[in-house]
Amino acid sequence: SGVRLARDPGSSPDRERLTFLRDTLAGLTATPKAFSPKYFYDGAGSALFEAICVTPEYYPTRTETALLREIAPALAEAIPKGAVLLELGSGASDKTRMLLDAAPWISAYVPVDISADALEGAVARLREAYPVLAVHPVVADFTHAIDVPKALAGRPVVAFFPGSTIGNFTPDEAVALLRSVRGRLGPDARFIVGADQVKDLEVLLAAYDDAEGVTAAFNRNVLVRINRELGGDFAPEAFEHRAVWNPAFERIEMHLVSREAQRVTVAGQAFAFEAGESIHTENSHKFTPASFGRLAEAGGWRIEKEWISPDPAFGVFVLRA
Ligand code: AVJ
């Protein structure tokens, strides 16, 4: 496609592959074994995530989208004239439209995503729908690079972090991310964050283990990606998809559980799995308004406004530095 994507200047496809390799080998050596959820999002993984969003069980996307549509006029009040909207982990950029429509005075949009494939499609669609909006896509791991392009310097910035992606971080990591966004965007910044809420266990578990098996395929896709990009020999079906609630940390965990004792090789290194041994692939923390408020405060922000949808509860928060 004709979409030009800026890259995190500190990165290149070679370095990204090496980081993926190093993190994967470290994760397979660790006890318990674990991967970072950011590696789910190659082209196929981003497409599988979009497919999860339309399963009947996965309520967060449609719930947050409906909430954003409803509160868009109030959110628009938090967006200054001429603002740059910077989105962390923008994916398909579908929810962004709610803000662009409610605040047509947004002058530029900077979607940051780890998946070049997801960005290309999203940007092509956005440029068509919003021809006067300046769109500056950046391919980057947003935990490393969240700078506003130089051409847009001086304009007020509103950061947007929907989808409860903040829940994929441990509290320490989330605080570090909140602090770094605050540090880079300055004292006048606003941060609009979506954060899924603690709720009925059956509803939560079903959302991460849909009947059609889309989430299972999403989870196993990281093994397919390791095989292709790092030279691995995982048999993805030899691992069972499992979603569990961890009450101590108030989070859903996804695991890939080895169905039998087996050996797997990645980049020439062998790793042994016992029957029933798991790779911890994702945390999805769930919040209450109080627990999210404590997190935001530890990250250097205060909650200016908050909205929680009626069941299933999902929160949208406007943070001020
Ligand atoms: C990336 C945070 C939106 O944790 O709910 C969906 C990813 N994982 N199903 C989440 C995901 C399993 C998702 N977010």
Side-chain angles (χ1 to χ4, degrees), residues 53-69:
C53 293
V54 295
T55 62
E57 294 92 341
Y58 193 75
Y59 64 85
T61 307
R62 72 178 65 92
T63 306
E64 184 183 34
T65 302
L67 180 59
L68 285 171
R69 185 173 293 122

Side-chain angles (χ1 to χ4, degrees), residues 37 40-41 48-49 52-53 58-61 64 89 95 162-168 196 207-210 214-216 218-219 241 252 254 282-286 314:
F40 283 137
Y41 300 95
L48 282 164
F49 176 66
I52 287 173
C53 293
Y58 193 75
Y59 64 85
T61 307
E64 184 183 34
K95 295 163 193 161
S164 204
T165 302
I166 195 166
N168 288 159
D196 194 17
Y208 290 84
D209 193 9
D210 64 280
V214 185
T215 307
F218 172 76
N219 199 5
H241 165 68
I252 292 281
M254 291 207 311
E282 185 183 62
N283 291 318
S284 247
H285 291 83
K286 304 302 171 185
F314 193 100

Side-chain angles (χ1 to χ4, degrees), residues 62-305:
R62 72 178 65 92
T63 306
E64 184 183 34
T65 302
L67 180 59
L68 285 171
R69 185 173 293 122
E70 191 182 310
I71 66 175
L75 287 174
E77 288 174 27
I79 303 177
K81 308 292 164 218
V84 175
L85 184 67
L86 180 135
E87 183 168 348
L88 287 67
S90 50
S93 292
D94 287 331
K95 295 163 193 161
T96 320
R97 290 168 177 246
M98 249 62 74
L99 298 184
L100 296 174
D101 293 342
W105 52 85
I106 291 172
S107 66
Y109 174 50
V110 181
V112 181
D113 203 274
I114 201 162
S115 168
D117 293 326
L119 266 178
E120 274 193 20
V123 170
R125 292 190 298 273
L126 275 181
R127 288 207 171 119
E128 178 146 348
Y130 301 87
V132 300
L133 181 71
V135 182
H136 293 253
V138 180
V139 186
D141 173 347
F142 60 73
T143 60
H144 299 158
I146 43 160
D147 286 316
V148 173
K150 281 212 178 59
L152 306 174
R155 303 188 201 180
V157 181
V158 177
F160 185 40
F161 194 24
S164 204
T165 302
I166 195 166
N168 288 159
F169 297 92
T170 63
D172 283 353
E173 293 166 340
V175 166
L177 179 69
L178 288 163
R179 288 200 169 278
S180 110
V181 173
R182 190 193 176 300
R184 281 169 191 255
L185 302 190
D188 200 35
R190 286 121 169 125
F191 198 6
I192 301 172
V193 183
D196 194 17
Q197 304 289 298
V198 172
K199 59 180 58 62
D200 202 68
L201 197 53
E202 283 92 301
V203 176
L204 282 174
L205 289 173
Y208 290 84
D209 193 9
D210 64 280
E212 244 194 293
V214 185
T215 307
F218 172 76
N219 199 5
R220 288 192 190 101
N221 177 61
V222 73
L223 304 181
V224 177
R225 183 179 182 191
I226 289 168
N227 287 349
R228 187 184 60 244
E229 294 186 21
L230 305 180
D233 65 358
F234 275 105
E237 292 304 324
F239 290 82
E240 184 188 304
H241 165 68
R242 196 172 290 167
V244 295
W245 174 248
N246 183 328
F249 295 102
E250 297 194 313
R251 68 192 189 199
I252 292 281
E253 297 178 0
M254 291 207 311
H255 294 263
L256 288 166
V257 181
S258 182
R259 296 189 200 271
E260 61 210 46
Q262 55 179 318
R263 268 163 56 96
V264 173
T265 305
V266 176
Q269 271 187 244
F271 299 92
F273 285 84
E274 289 171 20
E277 184 177 355
S278 95
I279 311 172
H280 183 178
T281 53
E282 185 183 62
N283 291 318
S284 247
H285 291 83
K286 304 302 171 185
F287 303 93
T288 62
S291 73
F292 187 78
R294 286 192 296 272
L295 190 74
E297 231 172 81
W301 298 84
R302 62 185 174 78
I303 295 177
E304 186 176 66
K305 284 184 184 160

